[in-house]
Amino acid sequence: HCMKTRDLMERAKLAKHEVSRKIFEVMYQKQTNLCLSADVTNSKELLHLAESIGPYICVLKTHVDIIEDFDQSTCRNLLNIAHKHNFVLFEDRKFADIGHTVSKQFTGGMFRISEWADVINAHPLPGPGIIKELKNANKRSGCLLIGEMSTNGNLITPAYTKATLKMAEENDDFVIGFISTSRISHDPHFLHFTPGVSLDCKGDGKGQQYLTPSEVVSKRGADILIVGRGITLAHDPVAAAKVYAQEGFSGYLAAVDV
Ligand code: 6AU
């Protein structure tokens, strides 16, 4: 199971889900492993970020529940921009409840996440029922399991992370990878997304801890770096995105298999 290659087209062939195959292909086509975390609070700002930073990213991550004027046109516009600039949409809902509840949160309410999100994430904490019900609700989306967190003092232990990997392996027709701060699996079909990335800050004073792009990609084995405020609060977000994309992808190509 040792990962012999970081070749993206090889990994695309090994993908077990349509969405992970697409992500590997987009990374290859656009030569980027940057995921923008577009944590803004209105639709106009969200769509503006998607339009201006879209060319430099493979994934755009949202928290739709913080958008004050969200409606279905927000999603329609976002889908159009995603199509135009060739990136996938990741709703960072962090499902964490019983199967019955998460399936309603995934498909229903105001947000109808299952209708537009290519990628979702879930805490494995409740047990395999959460994955089963999310999958039953809509298996076209790919799910990332949160195997590690970036925050100071989080309660995740190595045993929990190991159990997360097992749950992913047992559901690899739906689980496409992990949110983590290190490489959890050596199977090349799994994607590792790492949050807590900044070139300027060590933390945000609210528990978030940051590492640099080269640290997460080259040393810790991340496939995709998730960057929020490092880009969105920059004086020139587009210029910042280009720097993160460049650092991230050169780190990916230089990384030794871990
Ligand atoms: O770059 P930032 O700190 O502005 O934003 C980081 C983004 C936020 C968090 O909700 C998210 O990444 N995140 C996650 C995810 C993606 O699941 C897990 C985690 O452990 N830490 C973290 O920051 O939108």
Side-chain angles (χ1 to χ4, degrees), residues 37 39 61 63 92 94 121 149-150 195 208 210 228-229:
S37 184
D39 300 337
K61 186 175 83 59
H63 281 298
D92 186 4
K94 295 188 180 66
N121 56 354
M149 290 196 73
S150 61
Q208 176 70 299
Y210 290 115
R229 287 164 287 179

